[in-house]
Amino acid sequence: MKQFFVTGISTNVGKTIASAIIVEALEADYWKPVQTGADKDSDAITKLISNQKTVIHKNSYSLKAPLSPHAAAKMEGVYIDPNKILEPVTENHLVIEGAGGVLVPLNDSDTMLDIIMPNYKVIVVCKHYLGSINHSLLTIQWLIIKGYDVAVIFNGNPDPHTEDVIIKRTKVPVIGRIVEEEYFDKEIIKKYADEFREALLTL
Ligand SMILES: Nc1ncnc2c1ncn2[C@@H]1O[C@H](COP(=O)(O)OP(=O)(O)OP(=O)(O)O)[C@@H](O)[C@H]1O
Ligand SMILES: C[C@H](N)[C@H](N)CCCCCC(=O)O
Ligand SMILES: [Mg+2]
């Protein structure tokens, strides 16, 4: 079984949507170690997948304030300890969704990077917006410098100017693209899962 860590170039870029697609494509388990805010990503995943094998594992930390984990934790008098964030045991592949982007702080010193294990396949969701080239290159190049295996999912309608420069300068594999959809349901997730499966299995 493999672990796929889904991160993004920021918050609200489509990590949960991409995670649902990967979970469905590989009949993988899902785990959101650190959740902040009322909109629970695990609940969204439950509504979007159809396969019977997936197990959705409990958050290690679930904090009320829709803020950066370090801030939400401080508000609740909680200390997020990476050593207490223990990967669930499973025979299935495991999709792990980060909170926000890779350098999001967990406490005064640790960041999301500190819970991305060296053997994890890291999938970066690059949403298209003016400014996303910089955010994508910063995220991907930092992960490469840190020695991770990185792949990309583009999120948004085709944007060759943005996509070509990210692909040329980082040379990371592109799993696929999620176009602008009116909404997401199990059927649409299954469609993307069928489209992305082969590329995911090569990682
Ligand atoms: N391609 C798309 N077309 C239409 N809506 C999208 C698309 N991708 C994401 N969205 C919507 O944008 C919002 C943010 O997506 P999502 O929750 O996956 O982001 P996220 O990166 O997981 O956020 P967080 O950092 O809070 O975990 C959701 O309402 C989602 O349905
Ligand atoms: C609340 C939000 N939906 C995410 N769970 C947390 C996003 C943290 C972003 C921190 C930052 O980069 O400023
Ligand atoms: Mg999410």
Side-chain angles (χ1 to χ4, degrees):
M1 58 73 112
K2 287 182 187 166
Q3 296 86 1
F4 299 83
F5 194 96
V6 179
T7 186
I9 61 173
S10 186
T11 182
N12 212 34
V13 295
K15 295 189 298 294
T16 300
I17 296 298
S19 297
I21 292 166
I22 303 165
V23 162
E24 189 60 24
L26 303 179
E27 296 187 320
D29 287 4
Y30 174 82
W31 179 43
K32 174 97 174 183
V34 180
Q35 173 70 57
T36 67
D39 293 342
K40 304 272 177 262
D41 289 350
S42 300
D43 296 343
I45 296 288
T46 307
K47 294 189 188 104
L48 291 171
I49 58 159
S50 329
N51 84 85
Q52 301 306 314
K53 278 184 73 180
T54 294
V55 172
I56 295 182
H57 298 277
K58 218 166 127 346
N59 307 128
S60 302
Y61 291 91
S62 181
L63 300 154
K64 294 187 192 63
L67 299 172
S68 174
H70 80 292
K74 219 166 245 167
M75 288 176 82
E76 290 182 36
V78 166
Y79 178 79
I80 297 177
D81 178 354
N83 298 315
K84 293 205 177 113
I85 297 179
L86 305 172
E87 183 187 314
V89 176
T90 176
E91 299 292 306
N92 295 335
H93 293 304
L94 179 63
V95 173
I96 307 159
E97 181 182 345
V102 290
L103 289 183
V104 161
L106 297 177
N107 51 44
D108 294 345
S109 54
D110 303 307
T111 70
M112 270 286 132
L113 267 188
D114 293 290
I115 64 169
I116 307 179
M117 296 302 122
N119 62 306
Y120 289 177
K121 306 290 178 196
V122 184
I123 295 171
V124 181
V125 179
C126 297
K127 184 178 180 182
H128 292 332
Y129 54 83
L130 188 60
S132 69
I133 294 173
N134 174 52
H135 296 165
S136 301
L137 294 178
L138 281 168
T139 301
I140 297 166
Q141 289 180 345
W142 189 245
L143 285 163
I144 291 170
I145 289 167
K146 291 291 178 185
Y148 292 103
D149 265 348
V150 184
V152 151
I153 287 175
F154 287 124
N155 189 7
N157 292 336
D159 180 341
H161 299 295
T162 295
E163 296 170 17
D164 292 353
V165 74
I166 292 170
I167 294 166
K168 279 204 186 81
R169 302 215 178 158
T170 65
K171 303 200 180 10
V172 295
V174 179
I175 292 165
R177 170 211 321 292
I178 309 165
V179 295
E180 202 50 44
E181 300 281 359
E182 249 174 80
Y183 61 90
F184 286 95
D185 60 14
K186 293 181 195 280
E187 284 320 303
I188 293 175
I189 293 294
K190 258 163 71 173
K191 176 196 79 170
Y192 281 107
D194 292 341
E195 232 178 86
F196 288 15
R197 185 172 293 109
E198 198 180 327
L200 288 165
L201 290 172
T202 64
L203 294 182

